[in-house]
Amino acid sequence: MRTTRKDYLAHIEELQKRSGDTVAKHIAERRALTPSQPDPEDDATFGQRAADAVARFGGSWTFIMLFALVLVSWVVLNSFLLTRGGAKPFDPFPYILLNLFLSMLASIQAPVILMSQNRQGEIDRLNAQNDYEINLKAELEIMALHEKMDAFKLQLVEMQHEQLRLLNALCEDNKVAT
């Protein structure tokens, strides 16, 4: 099933309409849009948590140092056994078995890290949607405050005009009395 640009734009438009409806509902009810940030680990499956753990460990200095230690140990051990006359190295130079293990590690680790990145991307999209709704609500609330301030300013000007009219009338009455 292929998604066209038109379908994608319709989907985005629907998401924005839903966000607008959600914001309008929360403004009408005078309540917070998001009481708390949801924890992405709450609804994660075992595979998602495992992918996140592999990505976290695979992207750490601990992994890099352990990996370097294993590689250096492998090369040193095989080179040492190769230089000794009677011992047969288990993976002689050019270390074909080591290359096989590295290829297998890369072929397994890469998709797992991609799964974790996809999950993180989905979490980021949800957070961006949440931020959009909060920003939209804040913008609408600010606009409402501006309208209230404008109405208050008009009311204040009208009151000042009334006060000036009364003050002028009082001055006129004072002039007539004297």
Side-chain angles (χ1 to χ4, degrees):
M1 183 169 159
R2 198 163 169 215
T3 304
T4 64
R5 178 179 168 84
K6 186 177 177 183
D7 293 338
Y8 176 74
L9 292 175
H11 173 71
I12 295 299
E13 191 174 302
E14 175 61 29
L15 283 176
Q16 288 177 339
K17 183 182 179 323
R18 244 185 291 150
S19 290
D21 294 345
T22 301
V23 168
K25 178 181 169 192
H26 281 83
I27 287 175
E29 295 172 359
R30 305 295 299 159
R31 61 186 176 99
L33 191 60
T34 53
S36 64
Q37 195 75 334
D39 185 14
E41 293 297 317
D42 287 345
D43 59 345
T45 64
F46 173 76
Q48 290 171 331
R49 286 193 304 273
D52 289 344
V54 168
R56 216 174 6 262
F57 178 69
S60 69
W61 280 106
T62 304
F63 173 77
I64 292 171
M65 296 301 181
L66 275 170
F67 198 63
L69 180 68
V70 168
L71 290 177
V72 168
S73 300
W74 186 285
V75 170
V76 167
L77 181 62
N78 276 291
S79 298
F80 177 72
L81 290 176
L82 187 62
T83 58
R84 296 187 92 203
K88 176 146 175 71
F90 56 91
D91 187 20
F93 185 79
Y95 311 115
I96 304 290
L97 185 59
L98 177 62
N99 284 329
L100 175 67
F101 287 153
L102 293 176
S103 296
M104 288 189 310
L105 176 67
S107 68
I108 291 171
Q109 190 179 24
V112 170
I113 290 173
L114 287 174
M115 285 188 297
S116 178
Q117 287 177 338
N118 288 341
R119 180 170 140 68
Q120 188 60 46
E122 183 60 32
I123 291 168
D124 291 344
R125 275 189 289 282
L126 291 173
N127 286 336
Q129 180 70 24
N130 187 32
D131 290 346
Y132 169 76
E133 290 175 358
I134 289 172
N135 290 340
L136 181 61
K137 182 179 179 189
E139 182 180 359
L140 293 173
E141 290 286 349
I142 289 169
M143 288 170 50
L145 283 173
H146 278 287
E147 289 174 7
K148 287 179 183 179
M149 289 300 292
D150 290 343
F152 178 70
K153 188 169 56 174
L154 276 173
Q155 187 180 10
L156 190 61
V157 167
E158 288 173 3
M159 285 174 56
Q160 285 177 338
H161 284 297
E162 180 64 20
Q163 287 174 346
L164 285 173
R165 188 189 63 74
L166 289 172
L167 189 59
N168 281 335
L170 195 64
C171 286
E172 290 298 319
D173 288 345
N174 230 3
K175 280 183 188 176
V176 171
T178 56

